[in-house]
Amino acid sequence: MTGALAARWPALTWNRRWSLWGALVALVGALLATLVWLAGRYEISQFQSRLDRDAAEAVTDIRTALTRNIQGLQALQTGPATPVLWSLAADALLRQHRELVRLEWRDADLTVRAHSASPYRSDVFDRLGRASASQDVALACTAARKFNGPAYSASYFVPMYDGLGLEVMELCMPLGAGGGVSGYLVATYSLHHILTELIGKQVTRSQEVSLTEADGTRLAMHGGARRGSRVFTANHLLDLPGNTMVLRVDGWRTAPDLFPNLLTALVTALSIALVSVLTLLARDTRRRLRAERELAEALAFRKAMEDSLVTGLRARDLQGRITYVNPAFCDMVGFAAEELLGRSAPMPYWPPEMADEYRQRQAIRLAGNAPPREGFESVFMRKDGTRFPVLIIEAPLIDVLGKQAGWMSAFLDISEQRRVEELSRASQERLQASARLATVGEMASLLSHELNQPLAAIASYATGSLNLLSDAHGVPTAQALSDLRMAVERIAGQADRAGKVINSVHDFVRRRDQSREAVSAQALFDAIGPLVSLQARKLGVRLEREIEADLPPVWCDRTMVEQVLLNLVRNGMQAMEAVAPQERLLRLAVRAVPSRAQCRSLMFSVVDHGTGIPDEVARQLFTPFFTTKGEGMGLGLSLCRTVVEQHGGQLEYQPNRPRGTEFRFSLAVPPQQLAAGSEVDAASRSG
Ligand code: ADP
């Protein structure tokens, strides 16, 4: 249930996170599109308003120019009133104004009195004749009379000889004399030239300007080359007295205008940057999420590891305060983590009687002294007051910067180990005791054999003494008394001998203390001497001892080593039972190792000339209870090996030449003896 929830939870957050990211990206996309669109719109409206402004300016230009022209035309009439002179002045005017095609001075009935044509082109009315336009002139003049001021006619097309033609418009200006109309001044305008001459060049350079009728019919047109496929148009009314036209300005732009100008480009660049930043952010977030997940997994793994550890862990800061304990430690001492965290000396798990000692130990540790790497043993107290032994391994706690941040300790509850050790020690002792008893049992038969002699001697001396006493009939002679004394002395001597034999066995069986001491090889051999001799005599074995001179003592548990020697000797002797009596030789030897000059230990060897050890026996030689002997217990060699190993040595054997087996082991020389030995060496060298 919890697992399913835990599995769904990340999936939920995952979906939510991605939908949030999706929404963010969509929003940013929409924002960018809107920005680009608005920038484009702004650009277009800018263009359109410039076009509108240009159209308005062009109309103003035309109007101003036409008004100025009217003034110029009026000036014609103020001069000489003869047609010839008028023509001269009109010619001058026409030269100045290319938009004027023709000027006429007409009478009140519209009869032409004088006229003048523009010097810039052949006469426009060559082909159709001026009469063709009389209608328009008449209309304009009628209007002029009505307005009592200049009036324009509607425009009309005049075809010419060159195949082209011209759209022209008449201006009629009434000439007044004394309140009435005395005549008219008719000026013919070329619409095309109005566009080319009267409008500022900046308008026509990049745009097309045209004059159209109200319904859009184009009358005249002028302008620069078309650029771009998208056309923008601005119309402005050119309202003249008697004639109304529309001035149209067409502008072109390149299409499609994705980045119409700097602003749009800037917005787009910023948007791209924004999207890039978003992408980077998303990637960064993804990476961070992955790192977070990995970290969480690592933490969970560490937690699981710590929780399943049987080793107690504790961290302390440099002031000795507990900063961390794992569950195993809490279980061990019986305190909850909250009861331990932040605590400093004395710790609640210190037995009160040892608090001072532990406080000192902690002070030493906090002073920066590293504890032994292999750890040390201590005793802790559980919450219920029970004590238990622990093995503590401590090490400095180094933080990420490589600086020591405190101490880390690992704890092992070694009560169980102690119990097992105790058990094994007890069983070992029992084993040793039974082995000793087995030896004793064996010795008993030997003893009886050995005691037979003194007892027989005692018996015969006693019988002899009794005989002497009965012979004396109450009064012993001096001879008898002396014989009796001798007999009693012999009895005492034999009894003493028997007592010694028994004591030697008794000593061996009773000695149980296990303390180690410095013992000389000679003393060891002497101790087992009587028993060994007894056995040798019984089995008809010759004994040979070989002890190097001036050997230092060895550091050992005397009783145990004697037992080892005794076992090896006994095995050796028994192995020779089958060989000829004259060849039954057992050698006991001790020598210094590695050399006499630098003696670190003594090598004991027991060499027999027996049957040797066959392979199938060798394989199980040290197995407890393995024996090839009818009455053997099979404990001797296993005990020997245990004892030798407890002394830090090794029990080895190898075949002896030409026959038999050599068993050997070494025992260490006590340290003080080593020092003394080297001093002696040094003294002897300097001497
Ligand atoms: P036990 O003497 O009671 O049999 P041990 O552990 O001392 O027990 O010896 C085990 C066996 O090893 C012996 O039964 C014997 O066969 C063999 N063994 C021990 N020492 C010798 C030896 N020096 N030569 C030949 N065989 C030996």
Side-chain angles (χ1 to χ4, degrees), residues 350-359 378-380 387:
W350 285 1
E353 67 276 12
M354 298 188 172
D356 285 342
E357 186 193 325
Y358 289 6
R359 207 192 301 268
S378 186
V379 174
F380 277 2
R387 298 350 188 215

Side-chain angles (χ1 to χ4, degrees), residues 349-595:
Y349 47 81
W350 285 1
E353 67 276 12
M354 298 188 172
D356 285 342
E357 186 193 325
Y358 289 6
R359 207 192 301 268
Q360 274 172 14
R361 193 168 69 195
Q362 180 162 325
I364 292 171
R365 187 81 64 253
L366 295 181
N369 296 304
R373 284 193 73 80
E374 66 278 7
F376 57 93
E377 288 183 15
S378 186
V379 174
F380 277 2
M381 185 178 73
R382 296 196 185 89
K383 199 174 184 181
D384 60 11
T386 51
R387 298 350 188 215
F388 65 101
V390 278
L391 176 70
I392 308 178
I393 300 165
E394 280 199 313
L397 185 66
I398 307 297
D399 66 10
V400 279
L401 300 174
K403 268 178 41 194
Q404 183 176 353
W407 292 92
M408 190 75 211
S409 319
F411 299 86
L412 271 180
D413 184 344
I414 50 174
S415 3
E416 184 60 16
Q417 191 180 329
R418 276 288 149 79
R419 204 176 59 80
V420 172
E421 272 173 17
E422 186 54 40
L423 273 180
S424 99
R425 198 180 56 76
S427 63
Q428 187 74 33
E429 258 178 22
R430 270 202 300 280
L431 193 67
Q432 285 170 9
S434 40
R436 224 187 333 258
L437 282 176
T439 317
V440 170
E442 218 171 287
M443 294 299 163
S445 64
L446 286 174
L447 264 182
S448 60
H449 167 80
E450 191 65 11
L451 287 177
N452 261 346
Q453 281 181 23
L455 286 178
I458 288 171
S460 59
Y461 283 129
T463 315
S465 305
L466 281 175
N467 288 342
L468 279 175
L469 285 174
S470 57
D471 287 350
H473 302 293
V475 185
T477 61
Q479 178 60 41
L481 270 178
S482 123
D483 285 350
L484 210 58
R485 176 183 294 275
M486 192 199 71
V488 173
E489 273 173 6
R490 291 280 162 85
I491 287 173
Q494 288 300 323
D496 195 38
R497 188 184 152 203
K500 273 190 181 147
V501 170
I502 289 169
N503 266 343
S504 67
V505 177
H506 189 245
D507 266 4
F508 173 72
V509 178
R510 287 289 301 278
R511 205 172 333 120
R512 295 209 44 150
D513 63 283
Q514 296 200 346
S515 58
R516 300 213 173 166
E517 56 191 317
V519 192
S520 70
Q522 186 67 51
L524 287 171
F525 281 177
D526 288 348
I528 59 166
L531 291 172
V532 170
S533 307
L534 267 177
Q535 202 159 22
R537 212 168 310 148
K538 187 192 169 194
L539 295 174
V541 174
R542 266 185 304 131
L543 279 175
E544 211 178 85
R545 285 190 196 181
E546 197 180 306
I547 302 180
E548 270 183 17
D550 299 333
L551 285 181
V554 287
W555 189 250
C556 68
D557 178 343
R558 180 180 186 149
T559 321
M560 298 312 299
V561 174
E562 283 168 10
Q563 173 89 42
V564 169
L565 283 170
L566 215 51
N567 279 346
L568 295 178
V569 166
R570 192 201 54 196
N571 276 349
M573 286 183 185
Q574 286 172 347
M576 290 188 290
E577 276 178 336
V579 303
Q582 68 275 11
E583 287 177 10
R584 294 181 190 164
L585 172 66
L586 187 97
R587 193 158 61 88
L588 278 168
V590 187
R591 63 187 168 85
V593 176
S595 68

